[in-house]
Amino acid sequence: MKPFAYALAVGLAAAQLATSALAADITGAGATFPFPVYSKWAEAYRKDSGTGLNYQSIGSGGGIKQIQAKTVDFGATDAPLKPAQLEKDGLVQFPTVMGGVVTVVNIAGLEPGKLKLTGEIVADIYAGKIQKWSDPKIAKLNEGLKLPEANITPIYRSDASGTTNIFTTYLSGVSESWKKEFGAATTISWPVGQGGKGNEGVTATVKQVPNAIGYVESAYAKQNKLAYALIQNKAGKFPQPDDKAFQAAAASADWKSTPGFGIALTNQAGDDAWPITAATFILVYREPADPAKSADVLKFFDWAYKNGDKLATELDYVPLPDNVVGLIHEEWKTIKGKDGKPVFGSM
């Protein structure tokens, strides 16, 4: 993966991408998971169109609240809304890219990809049942790797987070005890550890706390040169968390029959599949108060589908297959103005 052209605003409570006010900017808010690629897309789109994007990377929960309050042109979430909620709020939901969540650690001298963990071990760490890096379960999986006799500090998201939903959906799928005690949600009553706001906050906290472990979108790990663990997948393999592994996890996804495209990609079959893979989603109104502004939003993402694949793959995100983009375009035809016509022109 190529490095970012510029550093993300790591550690900021609400990272914001702001562009020139000379153009009629699009406004959006929500998931921190896709912030790196949305930033790159926005930079390139402004050069092409003159239209800017003001995106607040505040977490999926905040994005859902802001689109429900109609304070932004679109919301962004990694935790897809269920069909009943979409219907209730009058929203249309569609995916933009796929990516992976990785566990990152701050262990002195440890190189990326050298530590191996299973989903059950990660669940036990976050449940407070495994407390030291020298625990026999970790040592058995990592023979020959020198690990410290030190307490583990789990780092989690303190805000309502789609990344947390992805992570805990995975843990609930591989650990029955985690499923019963904590389950999967955008917010969890964490029994141990420290919180950080956004992927940015978790990244910064892991970097600051010795012997910490956290979970972030893979682009944050690589851009910040954090050591990441390899997680055993359903096939018993330990793939590298890269675009090929994320694509392998999505290979059998049934987008067409899933309302709102809200598929789960965690713990998929396949030797090469990364076990904590997910799509990220956009929320817009089916009957927008400002059809022209909604059209601008769709034009931006249409541009991204046509021109943004290279930028996405450079950050280890996985572009959507062409047939899925076609399904999204069909869904866009249901977004209409007061005159009953689609807000986005003929597709």
Side-chain angles (χ1 to χ4, degrees):
M1 183 185 94
K2 296 180 182 178
F4 285 14
Y6 61 97
L8 291 173
V10 173
L12 293 181
Q16 184 174 0
L17 174 71
T19 54
S20 171
L22 295 177
D25 286 357
I26 304 164
T27 61
T32 63
F33 179 102
F35 176 62
V37 70
Y38 289 177
S39 299
K40 300 298 288 185
W41 282 351
E43 182 183 352
Y45 185 66
R46 181 171 177 267
K47 291 178 181 177
D48 280 2
S49 69
T51 299
L53 170 65
N54 184 323
Y55 181 74
Q56 296 176 350
S57 177
I58 60 173
S60 296
I64 292 168
K65 287 180 179 178
Q66 288 212 24
I67 190 64
Q68 289 172 333
K70 301 182 179 180
T71 56
V72 290
D73 300 322
F74 70 88
T77 177
D78 304 324
L81 297 186
K82 296 185 182 301
Q85 188 67 50
L86 293 170
E87 184 68 24
K88 178 184 175 182
D89 292 337
L91 293 169
V92 170
Q93 175 175 268
F94 58 90
T96 53
V97 291
M98 298 173 288
V101 174
V102 299
T103 51
V104 291
V105 297
N106 180 0
I107 298 174
L110 183 68
E111 296 178 8
K114 296 299 183 182
L115 176 68
K116 293 181 179 179
L117 298 172
T118 65
E120 292 88 346
I121 288 174
V122 175
D124 284 350
I125 289 173
Y126 272 87
K129 297 175 182 177
I130 291 179
Q131 300 179 343
K132 289 185 177 291
W133 285 116
S134 56
D135 186 279
K137 290 183 179 180
I138 300 176
K140 183 178 180 181
L141 204 61
N142 293 276
E143 292 182 6
L145 184 65
K146 187 176 180 181
L147 293 170
E149 181 79 26
N151 290 329
I152 304 171
T153 301
I155 309 299
Y156 54 81
R157 287 285 290 274
S158 60
D159 53 326
S161 158
T163 306
T164 294
N165 185 72
I166 297 164
F167 183 62
T168 56
T169 294
Y170 167 69
L171 295 184
S172 295
V174 297
S175 169
E176 193 62 31
S177 63
W178 180 274
K179 183 178 180 179
K180 289 180 179 178
E181 293 179 50
F182 306 103
T186 56
T187 56
I188 296 289
S189 296
W190 302 98
V192 291
Q194 299 179 25
K197 189 171 183 180
N199 272 279
E200 300 91 345
V202 171
T203 298
T205 306
V206 170
K207 290 177 74 172
Q208 293 166 4
V209 178
N211 301 305
I213 184 172
Y215 58 93
V216 295
E217 198 283 322
S218 63
Y220 289 85
K222 294 194 176 184
Q223 195 276 329
N224 288 280
K225 296 180 174 60
L226 290 174
Y228 56 83
L230 300 183
I231 306 296
Q232 188 178 48
N233 65 16
K234 195 171 186 177
K237 307 297 184 181
F238 291 87
Q240 286 289 329
D242 56 25
D243 57 342
K244 292 180 181 178
F246 306 151
Q247 183 66 63
S252 59
D254 184 6
W255 299 90
K256 188 172 184 178
S257 62
T258 308
F261 301 96
I263 59 171
L265 299 174
T266 54
N267 207 31
Q268 294 294 304
D271 287 358
D272 299 325
W274 180 251
I276 322 179
T277 300
T280 189
F281 302 87
I282 297 299
L283 298 167
V284 294
Y285 278 95
R286 194 175 295 280
E287 297 178 1
D290 187 342
K293 185 61 70 173
S294 288
D296 286 341
V297 171
L298 300 185
K299 286 176 185 176
F300 170 73
F301 287 108
D302 182 60
W303 176 94
Y305 293 139
K306 293 175 179 175
N307 303 283
D309 285 4
K310 184 174 183 293
L311 293 173
T313 54
E314 285 175 351
L315 301 177
D316 277 354
Y317 293 93
V318 177
L320 298 174
D322 290 343
N323 67 313
V324 178
V325 173
L327 293 173
I328 292 167
H329 279 153
E330 287 299 312
E331 184 69 12
W332 284 359
K333 292 179 181 179
T334 69
I335 304 170
K336 298 179 180 180
K338 294 179 180 179
D339 59 2
K341 295 181 180 180
V343 300
F344 191 70
S346 104
M347 293 178 272

